[in-house]
């Protein structure tokens, strides 16, 4: 790799390749943007398993749930119920495109602020909901908040972190997502015990807490050096030549959306589409969105289903911590490949265990010991995801784009992620009803495909400064043919990509 280690600066101070308290603090505060996403993922599944909530908004599902000898696979199959969950992700998809412009023009921190504020309003609406319309409108506002936060936070973290610690600090975002999920599951477990039947309101309204944290926290954050330079700010102290060069090239690009489809960016664009696409087809949302619903379907009753989802939430947090301490040592590829293999085995085992007890009729019961084995393998599966596709699905796309197209690239990453999250959320309960235990085999097959994709097409990006990332693609066996030599400029200790039109690989 050409050049020395590139480090980020903020507040007019240089941070030569080491983690300072200032950088650590800003990354922790920014990472709290993940709390709102995680809290929502965890809270929605628990709320939809609460009888008072179903009675008020989805009485048809409640009646089906109470019926004797109901097909376990189909008791929650209801399009309106699925729309309650999925509407957030459709809103996040649309919002991410607007967030790209805000992130580029106003900076990363103000995009985070806007996301947190919108999420706060959505939480208030959901907690006070009187009908399904209020629920859906609240969910749409939550989705706008998620779209802005998911667009800006990973980029902020990748730009603030020193190259050798970028993986660790960026995964702080995923850690906050898992903490948000766990907090939501614990809250659901507690509010489900409220005998007056308003526990679901408390669960939904408490989304205001993580929203408040990122909204207030973002006000105290500095913007990243890349963002300040990109917007023409010179008063940031002495910057490194590579940052200045990258910024100069970025300023020449008036249409990042048009630029991103050029041949020289084919590798980055492919990863920004395929990684979030594959992340949602790991099947993790089967567990996280509908964990209590899924466990009830598997024969767990009441509090037992909520407690089982709390257990998976704990595993999720601890496994993400493992990723934080290994990603910059073992590398991205090693975690992707190991996690993928682990998930494939678990999905086959869980699918088989369910098939043995429920068959295709969906009628049966699971003894406690048998249920414990199911939970064990689900936990092993969650651990595999939490130290591979979970954090890396956000880390890798956020670190591979050059500055001139970075907001547009991250917007594509978020929008693809949200689109397929929406699809899975909208279709999962119906798929479970029709695919039955085969649903686990279905997702297992996709994990096989995505693991092969990573093995063939993703180069290792650990410890590579984001301004020098083009060298990684230029040396890859497949992607090098898309990047002409004249598109790569290495001089002294800096690297820049050509931003001219109609040159080299774009010709």
């Amino acid at each position: 790799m050409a050049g020395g280690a590139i480090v980020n600066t903020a507040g007019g101070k240089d941070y030569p390749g080491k983690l300072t308290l200032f950088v650590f603090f800003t990354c922790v505060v920014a990472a709290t943007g993940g709390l709102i996403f995680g809290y929502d993922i965890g809270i929605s599944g628990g709320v939809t398993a609460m009888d008072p909530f179903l009675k008020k908004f989805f009485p048809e599902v409640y009646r089906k749930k109470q019926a004797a000898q109901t097909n376990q696979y189909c008791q929650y199959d209801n399009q309106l119920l699925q729309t309650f969950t999925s509407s957030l992700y459709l809103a996040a998809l649309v919002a991410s495109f607007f967030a790209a412009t805000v992130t580029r023009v106003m900076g990363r921190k103000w995009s985070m602020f806007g996301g947190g504020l919108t999420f706060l309003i959505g939480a208030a609406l959901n907690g006070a909901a009187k009908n399904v319309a209020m629920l859906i409108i609240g969910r749409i506002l939550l989705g706008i908040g998620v779209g802005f936060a998911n667009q800006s936070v990973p980029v902020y973290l990748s730009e603030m972190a020193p190259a050798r610690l970028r993986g660790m600090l960026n995964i702080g975002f995923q850690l906050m997502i898992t903490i948000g999920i766990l907090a939501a599951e614990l809250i659901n477990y507690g509010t489900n015990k409220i005998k007056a039947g308003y526990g679901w309101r408390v669960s939904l309204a408490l989304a205001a807490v993580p929203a408040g944290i990122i909204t207030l926290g973002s006000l105290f954050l500095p913007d990243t050096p890349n963002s300040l330079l990109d917007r023409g700010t010179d008063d940031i102290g002495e910057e490194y030549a590579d940052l200045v060069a990258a910024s100069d090239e970025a300023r020449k690009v008036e249409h990042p959306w048009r630029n991103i489809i050029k041949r020289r960016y084919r590798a980055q664009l492919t990863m920004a589409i395929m990684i979030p696409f594959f992340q949602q087809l790991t099947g993790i949302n089967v567990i996280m969105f509908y964990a209590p619903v899924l466990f009830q379907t598997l024969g767990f009753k009441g509090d037992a289903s909520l407690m089982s989802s709390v257990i998976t939430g704990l595993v999720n947090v601890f496994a993400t911590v493992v990723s934080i301490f290994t990603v910059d040592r073992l590398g991205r590829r090693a975690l992707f490949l190991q996690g993928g293999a682990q998930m494939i085995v678990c999905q086959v085992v869980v699918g088989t265990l369910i098939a043995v007890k429920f068959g295709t009729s969906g009628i049966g019961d699971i003894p406690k010991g048998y249920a414990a084995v199911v939970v064990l393998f689900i936990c092993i599966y969650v651990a595999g995801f939490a130290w591979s596709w979970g954090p890396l699905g956000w880390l890798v796309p956020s670190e591979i784009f050059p500055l001139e197209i970075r907001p547009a690239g991250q917007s594509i990453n978020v929008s693809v992620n949200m689109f397929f999250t929406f699809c899975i959320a909208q279709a999962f309960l119906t798929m479970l009803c029709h695919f039955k235990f085969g649903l686990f085999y279905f997702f297992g097959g996709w994990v096989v495909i995505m693991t092969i994709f990573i093995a063939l097409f993703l180069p290792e990006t650990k410890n590579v400064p984001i301004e020098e990332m083009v060298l990684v693609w230029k040396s890859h066996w497949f992607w090098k043919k898309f990047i002409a030599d004249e598109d790569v400029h290495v001089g002294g200790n800096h690297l820049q990509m050509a931003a001219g039109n109609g040159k080299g690989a774009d010709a």
Side-chain angles (χ1 to χ4, degrees):
M1 181 179 69
I6 294 176
V7 293
N8 289 339
T9 64
K13 298 179 180 180
D14 294 339
Y15 297 98
K18 66 181 180 179
L19 179 63
T20 66
L21 183 62
F22 177 77
V23 172
F24 179 76
F25 171 76
T26 58
C27 287
V28 169
V29 173
T32 59
L35 287 174
I36 62 177
F37 190 28
Y39 187 87
D40 178 79
I41 290 172
I43 214 70
S44 57
V47 165
T48 53
M50 294 181 184
D51 286 345
F53 178 81
L54 292 176
K55 279 183 186 177
K56 182 172 181 61
F57 298 107
F58 306 98
E60 181 184 338
V61 177
Y62 176 75
R63 287 192 296 269
K64 192 188 301 184
K65 181 181 172 184
Q66 300 303 311
Q69 294 297 301
T70 298
N71 184 328
Q72 296 288 337
Y73 295 123
C74 299
Q75 63 177 343
Y76 286 95
D77 181 16
N78 181 278
Q79 287 300 309
L80 189 59
L81 178 61
Q82 291 174 112
T83 300
F84 164 71
T85 299
S86 65
S87 56
L88 180 148
Y89 303 100
L90 190 59
L93 186 162
V94 176
S96 66
F97 290 104
F98 294 97
T101 301
V102 173
T103 300
R104 176 170 177 154
V105 175
M106 299 182 64
R108 284 56 163 154
K109 64 175 287 182
W110 292 113
S111 186
M112 286 184 250
F113 174 80
L117 188 62
T118 309
F119 198 92
L120 195 63
I121 298 170
L125 263 181
N126 271 181
K130 300 293 184 184
N131 49 52
V132 174
M134 281 187 73
L135 277 181
I136 301 298
I137 293 171
R139 293 286 292 174
I140 290 172
L141 290 173
L142 294 179
I144 294 172
V146 166
F148 272 78
N150 286 8
Q151 203 280 340
S152 53
V153 173
V155 169
Y156 184 95
L157 294 172
S158 286
E159 290 182 346
M160 286 298 293
R164 66 185 182 85
L165 297 174
R166 188 174 62 244
M168 180 187 78
L169 293 174
N170 190 289
I171 290 177
F173 176 66
Q174 178 68 17
L175 178 63
M176 290 297 179
I177 291 176
T178 62
I179 291 172
I181 292 171
L182 177 61
E185 288 165 340
L186 288 169
I187 287 169
N188 280 337
Y189 184 75
T191 58
N192 192 48
K193 295 181 180 294
I194 298 176
K195 298 188 182 299
Y198 60 83
W200 62 270
R201 288 193 185 276
V202 177
S203 291
L204 293 177
L206 283 176
V209 175
I213 292 173
I214 184 59
T215 303
L216 292 176
S218 63
L219 294 176
F220 296 94
L221 292 176
D223 224 328
T224 69
N226 305 75
S227 177
L228 292 169
L229 283 167
D230 191 26
R231 290 181 286 125
T233 302
D234 297 319
D235 185 22
I236 61 170
E238 185 180 352
E239 274 297 341
Y240 286 90
D242 51 359
L243 286 178
V244 175
S247 176
D248 288 342
E249 297 302 325
R251 292 182 197 178
K252 297 176 186 176
V253 179
E254 296 181 0
H255 305 287
W257 290 100
R258 188 183 305 165
N259 236 51
I260 202 171
I261 63 175
K262 290 184 176 181
R263 183 178 174 85
R264 72 175 75 129
Y265 302 126
R266 192 66 47 80
Q268 296 96 322
L269 181 60
T270 299
M271 292 301 162
I273 293 172
M274 298 308 296
I275 288 178
F277 166 71
F278 283 141
Q279 187 191 52
Q280 297 314 309
L281 286 171
T282 58
I284 189 62
N285 290 335
V286 172
I287 306 298
M288 293 305 170
F289 282 168
Y290 299 106
V293 170
L294 181 64
F295 284 119
Q296 284 194 8
T297 297
L298 296 178
F300 295 74
K301 305 298 180 185
D303 286 348
S305 67
L306 289 170
M307 181 50 69
S308 296
S309 65
V310 168
I311 293 170
T312 59
L314 281 168
V315 171
N316 199 14
V317 171
F318 286 117
T320 303
V321 173
V322 171
S323 184
I324 286 175
F325 290 104
T326 57
V327 68
D328 291 314
R329 295 174 183 171
L330 299 179
R332 282 63 159 154
R333 281 173 53 85
L335 291 180
F336 264 132
L337 298 176
Q338 189 282 328
Q342 185 169 320
M343 287 190 288
I344 292 165
V345 172
C346 291
Q347 283 164 320
V348 171
V349 171
V350 171
T352 303
L353 289 172
I354 294 173
V356 169
K357 285 299 178 183
F358 289 111
T360 56
S361 69
I363 298 175
D365 197 18
I366 299 183
K368 285 186 177 179
Y370 201 92
V373 176
V374 173
V375 172
L376 173 63
F377 276 95
I378 286 178
C379 286
I380 297 173
Y381 161 80
V382 169
F385 176 85
W387 60 53
S388 64
W389 280 92
L392 299 180
W394 293 107
L395 167 61
V396 173
S398 73
E399 69 181 358
I400 61 176
F401 281 97
L403 180 61
E404 62 265 27
I405 55 169
R406 195 171 298 152
Q410 182 64 7
S411 181
I412 291 173
N413 175 43
V414 173
S415 61
V416 172
N417 191 299
M418 293 299 104
F419 175 73
F420 285 101
T421 303
F422 162 77
C423 292
I424 296 295
Q426 185 63 36
F428 164 64
L429 295 175
T430 301
M431 291 172 69
L432 180 62
C433 181
H434 290 86
F435 282 37
K436 302 175 173 56
F437 60 84
L439 187 61
F440 290 92
Y441 299 149
F442 170 80
F443 286 120
W446 276 107
V447 179
V448 171
I449 294 171
M450 64 186 72
T451 302
I452 294 172
F453 174 83
I454 292 296
L456 292 177
F457 298 111
L458 182 69
E460 183 54 65
T461 56
K462 73 171 183 177
N463 300 330
V464 181
I466 53 179
E467 283 73 31
E468 297 189 8
M469 198 65 70
V470 67
L471 294 178
V472 172
W473 304 108
K474 182 61 177 171
S475 61
H476 187 268
W477 71 272
F478 180 78
W479 300 117
K480 64 182 180 182
K481 64 185 178 183
F482 294 97
I483 306 172
D485 292 341
E486 54 265 38
D487 290 330
V488 182
H489 302 277
V490 180
N493 289 326
H494 75 276
L495 174 149
Q496 66 182 25
M497 286 200 65
N501 294 322
K503 293 181 180 179
D506 297 325

